[in-house]
Amino acid sequence: YTFGTELNNLPEIRFSENLYYFPLYDTRNFKVYDTSIKDAATQYLSVFEKYAVPFFEKYRHLQSVERQLNKLPITYPVITNWTDKHIVFGLLLASVFSGENYNAIRSSYIDYLQTMHNSSELFQLLHDTDKFVKGTNVRSLLRF
């Protein structure tokens, strides 16, 4: 059941609620055959080509990822599906591609977090990431 889980995290699939699973066994008798493995692989590749390839093409460049993550006002993390990753990736990329707007983006993250319950750990993560960004040349860490 975990084969293909990451595909289900792609926004287009996740929001469609038509999640995929690729059992490696025959679903009628629960036995594994070469043909059942081949069928799972064929289905997986078909879904990968339909959803993952266009997703990665759309976000081929980090600047495209930054634009999506840091649309103001900051809201639910469409790409990452995880607020903690959204904060870290968003602020790191903002420091490289939106330097002049970095403080506005950071403030929008704070506003967004204030709408959440039990967000103290996320505020700490935001603070730690901000501290890292301000003390590091993030651009030099990324390979362009």
Side-chain angles (χ1 to χ4, degrees):
Y1 284 101
T2 60
F3 188 59
T5 299
E6 290 304 314
L7 279 175
N8 286 326
N9 285 322
L10 291 171
E12 191 171 342
I13 296 173
R14 189 178 56 218
F15 294 136
S16 75
E17 297 180 13
N18 183 24
L19 301 181
Y20 292 90
Y21 74 101
F22 307 94
L24 298 176
Y25 53 84
D26 185 310
T27 56
R28 293 178 302 260
N29 62 18
F30 303 104
K31 293 184 180 182
V32 176
Y33 302 106
D34 288 345
T35 56
S36 62
I37 293 171
K38 182 182 178 203
D39 289 345
T42 300
Q43 292 170 17
Y44 179 84
L45 290 173
S46 175
V47 173
F48 186 89
E49 288 172 351
K50 182 176 180 178
Y51 295 104
V53 171
F55 175 84
F56 289 116
E57 185 62 33
K58 181 177 180 179
Y59 297 111
R60 169 182 265 178
H61 303 288
L62 289 175
Q63 192 166 16
S64 300
V65 175
E66 191 274 333
R67 272 185 250 139
Q68 178 65 39
L69 290 175
N70 294 326
K71 282 184 184 176
L72 297 179
I74 300 297
T75 58
Y76 179 79
V78 172
I79 295 178
T80 64
N81 197 32
W82 300 96
T83 302
D84 55 348
K85 292 176 184 173
H86 188 187
I87 292 167
V88 173
F89 298 153
L91 289 180
L92 289 173
L93 293 174
S95 73
V96 173
F97 296 109
S98 295
E100 66 283 351
N101 293 326
Y102 178 83
N103 288 329
I105 292 168
R106 182 183 171 279
S107 293
S108 189
Y109 277 100
I110 291 170
D111 293 342
Y112 174 61
L113 292 180
Q114 288 175 343
T115 67
M116 302 171 71
H117 297 293
N118 301 321
S119 59
S120 61
E121 288 181 18
L122 294 172
F123 273 108
Q124 185 61 50
L125 179 63
L126 185 140
H127 172 73
D128 292 344
T129 305
D130 183 52
K131 183 177 176 183
F132 176 81
V133 163
K134 290 179 178 171
T136 306
N137 181 351
V138 176
R139 181 178 282 280
S140 70
L141 300 175
L142 301 174
R143 295 174 194 232
F144 291 98

